[in-house]
Amino acid sequence: MRAFATFLGVAAAIFLAFPVQDFLPPLGFAHGARILLVPVIFCYGALVLPFPGAMALAAYTGLLCDLAYSHVVDGRVEIAVGWSIVIFVIFGLFAQGFQPAFRRGQWWLHIPFSMVATSLYLALQFVMISFRREGVAFGEVTAWRILGSGLAAGLLSPLVCTVGWWANVSFGSRPGQGGERFARP
Amino acid sequence: MKQFNIILVIVILLGAVVLSTMGSGTVRDLKSGFLSLVSPFLKTGDAVGRQIGSVGEDLKTLDRLEEENRTLTLENRQLKTTNQLLRDLEAENQKLRQALDYRERSVFQLLPARIIARDSSTWWKSVKINRGFEDGVESDMPVLTESGLVGKTTTVGKNESVVILVTDESCRVAAKVEGTTEKGIASGFRVSDAASLGDIQLAFLSKSANLQPGQKVYSAGVSGGVFPSGILVGEVKSFRVRPLDGQAVLAPAVELDTIEDVFVLVGAK
């Protein structure tokens, strides 16, 4: 029951993150890299939820990402809906591997995981676009946008962990009562 | 891994494959539904942003004057934009008078819209506006300002739409160069290097085009296309000859990073 409540909370946070991140300004020093909240929140959810919950969250997040980001231009879908689900399922599987350490209190694992997941997601998105549009045009700005968003994700990670821990404690989870899974930063 | 977990992963991956086979119409409908769902949050965010931004102004001016000024400015911009289109119509009309079997040209209606959010997508350049299918907006409708072309609508929700900007690589516009017979395809650059960020490329020009900086580029208005002719796309910044064609780099006619109000060309009256 607690896991289900956590799933609902994380799912709601991911949904709200889509409009919120539209209002966050791009990072000027990183050539317009965007601050992406969705992968950071997903990584937190995948680290705290049991396996079925993490996979369901991956399917949900992937679907919303595709609906939010891909465009239908001239009657053509540039990136097929569904590919992000595959990517988030892979991220979720990796997160489950880190979960025991995360539950033991090594909350900082969320930082590198968020950074890598965010950058990797953007890099794969770029590869998909390059295939679709024929021809790779990788440059300085491309690299900055991929790594800059990853860096922002790493900086946001402690905040997301703190809010997650606070929300769980507020809803009755306590260390020693199963609440240790929600590692405190 | 438990058998249940393996089956779950396989089911989700199969679901992803099934989703990837959806046609563009279904995807458009799903995107439209998602856009309508997040719309209240976008509008709230936009309203909060405007409230914060206008705190200083409210101290200096009366609300009524501000409202009146806003209305007049909007009307002025609408008239300027209409004027720009009419100039082109006039020229076309002169040509048609000389022909016996001329066709009537549609008169377009400009629907004022406001940009409520700039998309957080990294690789696409798009914005969201506060007009949707309830206002008569459909996908693939041109969006412009009095200065020139902004882009075209893609996903249309109930009261909001996504506009893909002219600086995006996937937004292609048939364009002609002022004072020449040169025609080409204008589109944005892919996000790669800082030098071309925010510029437009005009490709498929003849190698002998020899365009000069400052020359204006207008939409050509091809048959069956999205954009009518005569909308300013940008100004030539540079020209170079490539192995197969000539390519010009254009500065967009509109300051796309700062615009707040636009018009959607919603079709014939």
Side-chain angles (χ1 to χ4, degrees):
Chain A
M1 191 61 194
R2 187 179 296 147
F4 185 65
T6 307
F7 174 82
L8 289 181
V10 176
I14 285 173
F15 182 81
L16 286 175
F18 281 101
V20 168
Q21 63 191 12
D22 277 355
F23 293 101
L24 298 177
L27 302 171
F29 73 90
H31 291 284
R34 304 298 306 224
I35 301 168
L36 301 177
L37 298 172
V38 173
V40 185
I41 301 171
F42 167 77
C43 289
Y44 177 78
L47 282 167
V48 299
L49 285 168
F51 190 85
M55 290 301 107
L57 193 69
Y60 168 81
T61 311
L63 178 64
L64 292 194
C65 277
D66 283 344
L67 293 180
Y69 297 140
S70 67
H71 287 284
V72 184
V73 182
D74 301 330
R76 201 178 71 149
V77 188
E78 189 147 46
I79 294 182
V81 173
W83 86 275
S84 292
I85 296 176
V86 178
I87 303 300
F88 279 102
V89 163
I90 294 168
F91 291 160
L93 290 171
F94 273 105
Q96 289 294 301
F98 291 117
Q99 198 177 59
F102 188 78
R103 285 182 180 180
R104 283 196 300 271
Q106 293 177 8
W107 67 271
W108 55 266
L109 281 169
H110 184 251
I111 298 175
F113 189 57
S114 298
M115 291 173 80
V116 171
T118 305
S119 292
L120 196 58
Y121 179 70
L122 290 176
L124 290 170
Q125 216 174 32
F126 183 78
V127 169
M128 292 283 286
I129 291 170
S130 298
F131 272 117
R132 191 72 181 174
R133 297 183 186 174
E134 296 170 1
V136 179
F138 192 90
E140 182 195 0
V141 176
T142 318
W144 268 109
R145 289 208 174 174
I146 291 170
L147 298 174
S149 292
L151 183 68
L155 293 172
L156 279 170
S157 167
L159 178 70
V160 170
C161 279
T162 305
V163 172
W165 178 84
W166 172 83
N168 277 296
V169 167
S170 303
F171 285 100
S173 292
R174 291 285 185 276
Q177 298 171 5
E180 67 276 11
R181 72 174 54 175
F182 310 113
R184 179 179 187 170
Chain B
M1 195 188 280
K2 289 178 192 170
Q3 199 176 5
F4 170 75
N5 291 346
I6 295 169
I7 292 169
L8 181 67
V9 171
I10 291 170
V11 167
I12 289 174
L13 293 180
L14 280 176
V17 172
V18 170
L19 285 171
S20 70
T21 60
M22 287 190 307
S24 59
T26 316
V27 174
R28 211 186 279 255
D29 290 345
L30 280 173
K31 281 179 66 69
S32 169
F34 178 69
L35 187 60
S36 297
L37 277 176
V38 296
S39 162
F41 303 102
L42 290 173
K43 283 180 178 164
T44 306
D46 177 51
V48 169
R50 281 175 192 277
Q51 284 279 331
I52 294 168
S54 64
V55 164
E57 289 172 25
D58 285 347
L59 292 172
K60 293 173 195 166
T61 58
L62 293 170
D63 287 352
R64 208 179 61 182
L65 280 172
E66 193 185 28
E67 184 58 39
E68 192 181 341
N69 185 41
R70 186 187 290 271
T71 311
L72 288 171
T73 308
L74 197 66
E75 195 179 347
N76 185 33
R77 295 173 76 182
Q78 191 169 5
L79 287 170
K80 276 184 179 174
T81 315
T82 311
N83 226 12
Q84 189 189 336
L85 286 170
L86 286 175
R87 246 180 272 130
D88 186 63
L89 279 173
E90 191 182 32
E92 188 179 17
N93 196 32
Q94 289 298 330
K95 286 180 192 169
L96 289 173
R97 277 176 191 277
Q98 295 167 7
L100 291 171
D101 55 343
Y102 70 92
R103 288 185 304 168
E104 275 188 37
R105 180 175 164 160
S106 302
V107 178
F108 294 101
Q109 188 182 11
L110 292 168
L111 178 72
R114 204 179 66 232
I115 292 173
I116 54 172
R118 290 171 194 278
D119 275 1
S120 56
S121 58
T122 303
W123 310 123
W124 292 274
K125 292 159 192 163
S126 55
V127 294
K128 294 189 179 88
I129 57 171
N130 67 338
R131 300 287 188 178
F133 58 75
E134 278 200 343
D135 306 293
V137 178
E138 293 170 14
S139 56
D140 290 332
M141 280 183 164
V143 178
L144 60 156
T145 70
E146 73 279 8
S147 306
L149 188 63
V150 172
K152 64 176 177 180
T153 56
T154 56
T155 304
V156 181
K158 192 178 171 189
N159 295 117
E160 55 292 310
S161 305
V162 176
V163 175
I164 193 114
L165 300 177
V166 69
T167 47
D168 189 280
E169 193 186 10
S170 59
C171 184
R172 292 164 186 271
V173 187
K176 59 190 176 188
V177 184
E178 174 192 44
T180 70
T181 55
E182 288 296 329
K183 286 185 179 176
I185 302 290
S187 68
F189 285 96
R190 199 171 308 170
V191 176
S192 59
D193 64 292
S196 62
L197 212 60
D199 285 340
I200 301 169
Q201 59 176 324
L202 182 62
F204 307 115
L205 298 166
S206 64
K207 287 186 187 179
S208 57
N210 193 26
L211 304 183
Q212 299 303 313
Q215 278 185 288
K216 288 183 167 34
V217 176
Y218 295 91
S219 58
V222 293
S223 172
V226 172
F227 304 99
S229 67
I231 304 174
L232 185 62
V233 177
E235 277 186 17
V236 174
K237 280 171 79 176
S238 62
F239 175 77
R240 68 175 177 137
V241 177
R242 299 192 295 188
L244 295 175
D245 65 349
Q247 183 206 39
V249 176
L250 316 178
V254 181
E255 285 285 339
L256 296 168
D257 290 335
T258 53
I259 49 162
E260 291 188 345
D261 298 304
V262 295
F263 299 103
V264 186
L265 215 55
V266 290
K269 268 180 185 169

